[in-house]
Amino acid sequence: MKLPGQDAIARQPDERLVTHRVKLPKKVVEHPFRQVAKRVIMALTLLALCALIVYAERDGYNDNSDGRLDFLDAFYYATVTLSTTGYGDITPVSDTARLTNILVITPMRVLFLIILVGTTLEVLTERTREEWRLNRWRSALRDHTVVVGFGTKGRSAIQTVCATGLKKEQVVVVDPSTKVIDAATAEGYAGIVGDATRSDVLMRAEVHKARKIIIATQRDDTAVLVTLTARQLNRGAKIVAAVREEENAPLLKQSGADAVITSASAAGRLLGLSVLSPAAGMVMEDLIQQGSGLDIIERPVIKAEVGKGPRETSDLVVSVVRGHRVLGYDDPAVGTLEATDRVITIVRATPGVQIAPDVRPIPQD
């Protein structure tokens, strides 16, 4: 099957394929220029204060050139003293001036050097700290969730997953747009700038160690290529992909996706349901919006429910997951609940209570 736009991918320029990098969420710090400006102002303030102190005690200093000390000479002495240059052409000769140099000027010189050296080290070690932080992030990343595409679909998907208890540190976003990745890192997610159809980009996202992969690209042909690449790198991850056209869903499943969501037809069904029954449409929207109103969740059967029928539980059971099969609550094959079963139920969302969804992929028949 040849997807629409497949030839366009082959003709795309190489620039979008070359650049890719990892961007971790930034800590809330001041802008670097603002930090440097503050330190420069602090250094100039120390310089001016030192010059005023020297000028105030100008009678205790000797200038080898003309014997007298004016305001310019005071600034000159402050500059060469704080920078530890010290040419010796202007020297303190009185006891008061020498005592001031010991108790005031010398501590100011040390503070001046700390400001300058600190600014230099800040600039020189920024890249080293970022590399160390990146290596530590990679070594600690396990069983995370990779989101390919951070548009409306990808953003909504990861917000739903995070509402069940997934930490933002366990989410990696992959997108070719730098602006999109900046938006993702601003929300606390790690980001990879690059084309997810390339295996080296997905390797940077540690996709081989991921537990879940959400593919929410803008094009169906791109989703197929990403699914093929991701499945090749990780045989055990649960891959969920979104496509626009329903006819491309079988191709996604053949490419390795465990579940395929047809965004256009799903939205159309919800629109049709809302036309027939606005109340039913509101209920469906409530169900798919995690964390408020009614939630649909999957959980294991508890000990007290073993041996009971699906209708005899305290929750509203709609389906039973038994082995590799998903059975309706009224399916005669269900009989009574078993300890190894999992149930899909509708529950009232309780603030502060998070129920993690199933992490085991269900093979498709």
Side-chain angles (χ1 to χ4, degrees), residues 133-176:
R133 185 183 176 208
L134 181 58
N135 292 333
R136 186 179 63 174
W137 169 77
R138 282 175 172 165
S139 61
L141 199 62
R142 292 287 188 281
D143 296 331
H144 57 291
T145 299
V146 177
V147 182
V148 180
F150 201 64
T152 303
K153 292 180 293 186
R155 192 188 302 265
S156 300
I158 202 57
Q159 287 175 351
T160 300
V161 176
C162 287
T164 64
L166 181 67
K167 296 181 179 179
K168 290 185 176 182
E169 293 80 6
Q170 287 294 104
V171 177
V172 181
V173 177
V174 182
D175 198 281

Side-chain angles (χ1 to χ4, degrees), residues 64-359:
N64 294 335
S65 61
D66 55 9
R68 50 187 291 272
L69 196 73
D70 56 18
F71 197 67
L72 179 60
D73 294 331
F75 263 98
Y76 167 75
Y77 177 80
T79 302
V80 298
T81 300
L82 293 185
S83 63
T84 70
T85 306
Y87 295 113
D89 48 351
I90 299 177
T91 56
V93 293
S94 68
D95 292 340
T96 303
R98 290 177 176 177
L99 187 62
T100 302
N101 268 261
I102 295 173
L103 299 179
V104 180
I105 304 299
T106 299
M108 292 176 66
R109 180 188 302 121
V110 174
L111 183 58
F112 187 83
L113 291 177
I114 289 175
I115 294 173
L116 294 183
V117 173
T119 304
T120 304
L121 291 178
E122 184 75 21
V123 174
L124 294 179
T125 61
E126 180 65 29
R127 183 174 181 84
T128 303
R129 288 204 312 269
E130 188 64 23
E131 287 293 333
W132 176 80
R133 185 183 176 208
L134 181 58
N135 292 333
R136 186 179 63 174
W137 169 77
R138 282 175 172 165
S139 61
L141 199 62
R142 292 287 188 281
D143 296 331
H144 57 291
T145 299
V146 177
V147 182
V148 180
F150 201 64
T152 303
K153 292 180 293 186
R155 192 188 302 265
S156 300
I158 202 57
Q159 287 175 351
T160 300
V161 176
C162 287
T164 64
L166 181 67
K167 296 181 179 179
K168 290 185 176 182
E169 293 80 6
Q170 287 294 104
V171 177
V172 181
V173 177
V174 182
D175 198 281
S177 172
T178 303
K179 292 182 178 180
V180 170
I181 294 301
D182 288 340
T185 55
E187 294 185 23
Y189 308 114
I192 311 292
V193 180
D195 184 2
T197 61
R198 293 170 56 92
S199 57
D200 55 341
V201 174
L202 291 181
M203 288 294 290
R204 285 177 174 265
E206 304 293 320
V207 75
H208 55 287
K209 297 187 293 185
R211 176 173 290 180
K212 303 183 187 73
I213 302 172
I214 299 173
I215 300 175
T217 58
Q218 298 297 324
R219 299 165 59 103
D220 290 0
D221 48 359
T222 305
V224 172
L225 295 176
V226 174
T227 303
L228 285 169
T229 307
R231 182 55 75 196
Q232 183 181 16
L233 295 174
N234 192 328
R235 296 292 181 181
K238 184 173 184 178
I239 300 180
V240 179
V243 293
R244 292 179 177 271
E245 301 298 332
E246 194 167 359
E247 62 180 10
N248 294 329
L251 185 58
L252 261 295
K253 292 183 179 179
Q254 293 175 13
S255 302
D258 295 293
V260 180
I261 307 300
T262 309
S263 58
S265 61
R269 293 189 187 99
L270 187 57
L271 285 172
L273 179 62
S274 299
V275 169
L276 297 175
S277 173
M282 292 176 60
V283 172
M284 288 301 301
E285 276 196 278
D286 188 18
L287 286 175
I288 63 178
Q289 186 175 359
Q290 196 76 20
S292 63
L294 298 175
D295 283 347
I296 183 166
I297 65 169
E298 181 180 339
R299 63 169 177 81
V301 173
I302 62 177
K303 189 175 181 180
E305 295 173 338
V306 176
K308 294 183 178 180
R311 291 180 177 273
E312 298 175 0
T313 62
S314 57
D315 292 337
L316 179 59
V317 176
V318 294
S319 295
V320 177
V321 182
R322 178 168 295 169
H324 300 305
R325 297 182 300 167
V326 180
L327 306 173
Y329 73 94
D330 57 348
D331 194 320
V334 174
T336 58
L337 297 176
E338 301 175 3
T340 56
D341 290 342
R342 299 181 68 86
V343 291
I344 298 176
T345 67
I346 296 176
V347 298
R348 171 68 62 180
T350 304
V353 178
Q354 296 175 332
I355 303 176
D358 184 26
V359 297

